[in-house]
Amino acid sequence: MSQQGYVATPPYSQAQPGMGGYPAGFGSAPAQPLYRHYGGPPQSFPAPPTGMMKPVSSPSGMPPPQVPSHYGSNGQQNGAHPQSYPAPPYGQPLQSPYHSMAHQGPPPAQQLTNQMGAMNLGYGPGSMQSPQAPPTSPLTQQQFQTAPPPAMGHPPLGPHSSQMAPPQSPLAGPTMAGPQSMGGPPPMGGMGRPFPGPPPPGAGGFQQPGPGAAGPPGHPQQLQGQFGGQMAGPGMAGPGMAGPGMAGPFQGGAAQMAGPPQKKLDPDSIPSTTQVIEDDQAKRGGQVYTTNLRGQVPPLVTTDYTVQDQGNASPRFMRCTTYSFPCTADLAKQCQVPLATIIKPFATVPKNETPMYVVNHGETGPIRCNRCKAYMCPYMQFMEGGRRYQCGFCNCVNEVPAFYFQHLDHMGRRVDFYERPELSLGSYEFAATLDYCKNNKPASPPAYIFMIDVSYANIKSGLVRLVCDELKTLLDNLPREDGAESSMVKVGFVTYNKILHFYNVKSALAQPQMMVVSDTAEMFVPLLDGFLVNFQESRAVINNLLDQIPDMFADTNESETVFAPVIQAGVEALKAAECSGKLFIFHSSIPTAEAPGKLKNRDDKKLINTEKEKTLFQPQKAVYEQLSKDCVSQGCSVDLFLFPSQYVDIATMGDVATHTGGSVFKYSNFQMERDGQHFLSDLRKDVRKAIGFDAIMRVRTSTGFRATDFFGAIHMNNTTDVEMAAVDCDKAVTVEFKHDDTLSEETGALMQCALLYTTISGQRRLRIHNLSLNCSAQLSELYKSCETDALINFFAKSAYRAMLNQPLKTVKEILVNQAAHMLACYRKNCASPSAASQLILPDAMKVFPVYLNSLLKTGPLVGSAELSTDDRAHQRLSTTAMGVEDTQLLLYPRLIPLHNMDVASDVVPTPVRCSEERLTDAGMFLLENGCSLFLWLGQACPPEMIQSIFNVPSLAHVPVDLRSLPELDNPQSKKLHSIVDSLLDQRPSSMKLMIVKQKDQSEIMFRQHLVEDKGLHGGASYMDFLCYVHREIRQVLT
């Protein structure tokens, strides 16, 4: 059989020359891994047996030319990934008492310096032992930054080699002194205690070298990435300093000696998130990422790239914590890296990428495996001349239906391979048949019901008038199918305080009619015909109603409201209309009126930092739990817009929204001129966004592992079906996997996410996303293919769930403990031997500690009486449904310098590290984290700059309560507006701009987002945290 690669150009996407096949499930995969090893020769692929599908490759069996070795010369495509930590099963015995950082004072400066002065940092697939440089001058450090080109027979340097900018050099110099060598308290008061008791269940592997120690064949045992020597600081030149030829035991010597005080360690020498992001953008930005290889690591979420689907789902839809799963449960337990995928089934696809294809097989419906019910996809292998196919997930051999039969070519691949999206693409849709519809009846288009709280607070603030005025124009922008002239979504209106008012807006009426339901205990909808209508047909009646509502209730003094009956009314209305839909509820206060779901104020600051703090975040069950179930079974999603002036128990009120695929928006102490635009932008985005209703999702996997846990704005009746009343383009579900058998390196790990939903026009569809990962018995492969951003998404969601059942202190200890185990396992099994004083991080995880430390300082996990319980509950609920890009930005905000921006350029200025040290008195900075947007003005900001942006002569004249920037006709103002607009455009929700002047009271809000510094409400700086993590790692290893 010919080794010649077969390449055809699919009609709907340009195939690249030498398109690689799916080295997973297509015929017997090559015995060796498909990536070239460092320094190893490229491998050729053995030909699969006749009749089997062969991975497409370029002529002569070499790996396809345009996809260089899987992890290119710099170690891995992920080289730059920020790190994130998996959370261990939250029930494990705790190891390290991670004492709340909040309550201990900072360590004496001298002592911290000593400690950082005693830490060496290296990263990379191998370690970086620093060659001991003579203590001449700091310049010696630079010489090691670029590696010599790999000579034959020498392992090339790892990811940290030549492309690394100085800020990423290892912390040469400091070795981390263990607690014993430091006088006085540990750097983070109380955090240095060794693990009490035995190592955790997963730690057994640290005692004996695991299989990961050997490195794959052809892979030099370690990459000796050599990096800069000791930093010559005044305190380091004593006898403890290792001279050029001295080995490492003395590396920490200087710090242990009572010598003169050392220079403070340069923060630029510890791993920088902004640098990692910049490097990935430089390396992979603007490129086409083809998905034809199994287990390849995609560009970072922050990188700008284009996806070409060639058999695996785009990373916009699915991202993994690692793209190389360990072969056995023991290995997984040993490394403690969580195996998870973050799935965003409706992610927005840029205009320059191919939209989703819809496959329609008519009345027969989609083709599925008889045994495991997986849908036809690129991992099915055709055999016997095309009459049968073997399922890639369960290996069952199925008959090919007569209408679907097609001959195979000389390589065992169907002749119509490129004409069928389900055979050649990673993501596509199937039109669903009646079997997939409720009660076997065709679905109806969804409805949107607007439910306005007309109590005294909302009338007085002007909110009711604002909503009514906005709806007149907004309803023209209801979502519609591509190419449709108008939206098929029906609309309805309810107002309420202690009682509910329904409106008949049938197009035939001259005036809208109001019907009142005052018995909130037995909720029913008083009218069927005329409540849900087509906006275009009833426009005149609806506009008439929206004009009347604010005046109708203008003199109200009713301040009590109901809440649960409002949701119940919405569900009943959709039930009567036999359709799914969404409720937009505009609500102001805690529901205290006598009715089901009445709540009382349970905000008790005395519970903070006690065992009972978790009760503040647990929703009050009973009525609301049942409501969530009713909503999900009807496909009724709830979006809640809250305008509280005091505590409203968001933990309970937001619970229905977060179990029905909805969102909670919060505008505390709403004032029209200050918050009006912010609220309207959120409402507009929310009404227009792409969305599917009445959805049910299942994740199938190939044999050997399965999905065990799910996090998101979802409801689960059983262990496998993820139910969502609605799922929109911003919602993500994080899925954790566990082994139930050994995985094979040859076939890899396959997963298929199938989402059944109703479109905005009322069609039932199946959206399929497929992804294939590598499997390896070498832990080094797992660490090389990790993705920090995905890891931290998993950690955040699992910690936020765990805090409902465990004290915050325990949750934080588990997080740090698991992180220490992940990094210790890497150190033990994958890095070259080096002095214990060195902190060695995997290259793909080198910024993991920044993100983890930032997570530990977030509102929900801090435990400070200064933070409002509602704000903490709100952040907890919002994060549950976030995708990878949202958690990345939330935990490491972008700090953008504006004072030296190039007004002629289109690009946003490069962000700097998120620390106070980067701010300058004469500077102007923009900080965004996806929820807040701050414009920080330094005290010495030049008057001409202030004039060009604010149109006032000096900083003193800038009003602090300014809510939007004036649009001025000069290059600086235009450039700043374009930057702000582009940021707002990329984010799921709108961000309110706050102007902050240096040393003003308002600066406190801004400073809590500088995540590399000490937390305002407790929590360590990045530098301190790195010391702490290092000590924990050494504790695990000893």
Side-chain angles (χ1 to χ4, degrees), residues 863-887:
S864 159
E866 294 166 45
L867 294 172
S868 100
T869 305
D870 272 345
D871 283 347
R872 294 173 69 197
H874 182 233
Q875 185 177 343
R876 197 193 141 264
L877 293 176
S878 317
T879 308
T880 312
M882 279 187 181
V884 178
E885 44 286 270
D886 306 328
T887 47

Side-chain angles (χ1 to χ4, degrees), residues 28-107:
S28 56
Q32 304 128 301
L34 287 188
Y35 31 77
R36 285 179 246 158
H37 301 308
Y38 293 104
Q43 296 120 9
S44 56
F45 300 75
T50 334
M52 303 283 259
M53 225 182 221
K54 169 178 180 303
V56 198
S57 60
S58 48
S60 84
M62 298 279 281
Q66 96 281 17
V67 188
S69 68
H70 244 204
Y71 305 101
S73 56
N74 43 344
Q76 83 182 61
Q77 303 180 304
N78 203 17
H81 279 237
Q83 279 1 352
S84 91
Y85 308 32
Y90 279 97
Q92 266 190 13
L94 285 179
Q95 307 317 326
S96 106
Y98 175 99
H99 291 300
S100 146
M101 302 181 199
H103 305 295
Q104 282 89 12

